[in-house]
Amino acid sequence: MLCATASVDLPSASSAQGYVARLLINEAPFPGERGYVSEADTQAAMEAILLTLHARSVDLPKPYTREQVADTQSPNILDVITAGGVRGQVDGFYRDPQGNLATEPRVNERVNYLMGIAGQGKPGRFARLLNHAITISNQYFAGQLRVVDRYGNLTYIGTTPVTGGSYAWMTNHPKFHPRGYFVKIPDGNQGALGGNRFFTLKRID
């Protein structure tokens, strides 16, 4: 179903564009929420999450395999998102028993709440943030995304050689870390965005 306000047109949740847009909206903070810093910070977080999903789907550095990093052999970004079920790769985003794209009720409730705020009065921050998620999702599936990978040129974090790029994100808290070969991107490299912490991979020569 298409969700719309006077200033925001959110594609159907059953479409690839609408599904990914909802993920970006759900994973990034809005004004008044924990982790919110600024409009630019939330937009940057959305972009970094989308590029992380892309990297996990099609841009894995050797010798890493997709199954190691994303728990699936599929290069389809939707399969990467839904791998592992409800509590899998992206919490709350999964496929139902029939294979349809699905989200937990809390995701839809939050999106509807934000859409409701965005529809009140003149378009403001809420509408701009929602539209940013929609725009970059649409651009991605149209092959027209023009977002610079802020982590793409990383070669070392401290003394640890890294591949560059981001391959995971988690809530920005010291206790959360994907472990294994993932390396935390520090604040000095913009590793914390929108209440999230991003991780690159250790380079294995």
Side-chain angles (χ1 to χ4, degrees):
M1 182 174 67
L2 181 71
C3 297
T5 71
S7 55
V8 180
D9 289 319
L10 180 60
S12 168
S14 63
S15 70
Q17 295 90 335
Y19 195 70
V20 170
R22 283 167 174 79
L23 184 154
L24 301 178
I25 292 165
N26 190 66
E27 292 290 316
F30 278 62
E33 294 182 325
R34 181 176 176 274
Y36 182 78
V37 175
S38 67
E39 191 173 332
D41 181 70
T42 289
Q43 290 179 339
M46 291 176 176
E47 294 168 2
I49 289 167
L50 181 55
L51 290 179
T52 298
L53 292 169
H54 174 74
R56 290 166 73 90
S57 304
V58 300
D59 196 22
L60 288 167
K62 294 180 179 180
Y64 293 101
T65 66
R66 191 173 294 107
E67 196 164 25
Q68 279 180 303
V69 176
D71 196 30
T72 179
Q73 294 181 356
S74 173
N76 185 316
I77 192 172
L78 299 176
D79 292 337
V80 168
I81 291 168
T82 58
V86 178
R87 295 289 180 268
Q89 293 297 290
V90 182
D91 191 25
F93 288 77
Y94 62 101
R95 290 187 186 272
D96 66 19
Q98 289 72 45
N100 300 311
L101 297 172
T103 56
E104 285 202 301
R106 62 176 173 78
V107 174
N108 298 323
E109 290 167 5
R110 179 167 177 268
V111 170
N112 290 336
Y113 171 74
L114 296 172
M115 290 284 289
I117 294 175
Q120 298 172 7
K122 295 181 179 180
R125 290 180 299 175
F126 282 79
R128 288 193 296 269
L129 290 171
L130 289 165
N131 279 324
H132 188 69
I134 294 164
T135 296
I136 62 175
S137 179
N138 286 341
Q139 289 175 344
Y140 180 81
F141 287 102
Q144 298 173 348
L145 186 65
R146 297 293 182 267
V147 173
V148 176
D149 185 353
R150 68 191 66 240
Y151 309 127
N153 292 326
L154 290 176
T155 55
Y156 280 88
I157 291 179
T159 59
T160 302
V162 296
T163 62
S166 170
Y167 293 89
W169 79 94
M170 304 187 84
T171 299
N172 187 21
H173 190 283
K175 72 176 182 179
F176 293 123
H177 193 294
R179 308 302 175 193
Y181 291 103
F182 289 97
V183 180
K184 182 174 78 171
I185 302 173
D187 292 355
N189 297 112
Q190 298 181 294
L193 295 170
N196 292 290
R197 173 66 61 181
F198 292 85
F199 300 83
T200 187
L201 288 167
K202 182 177 180 180
R203 190 170 73 241
I204 301 175
D205 297 322

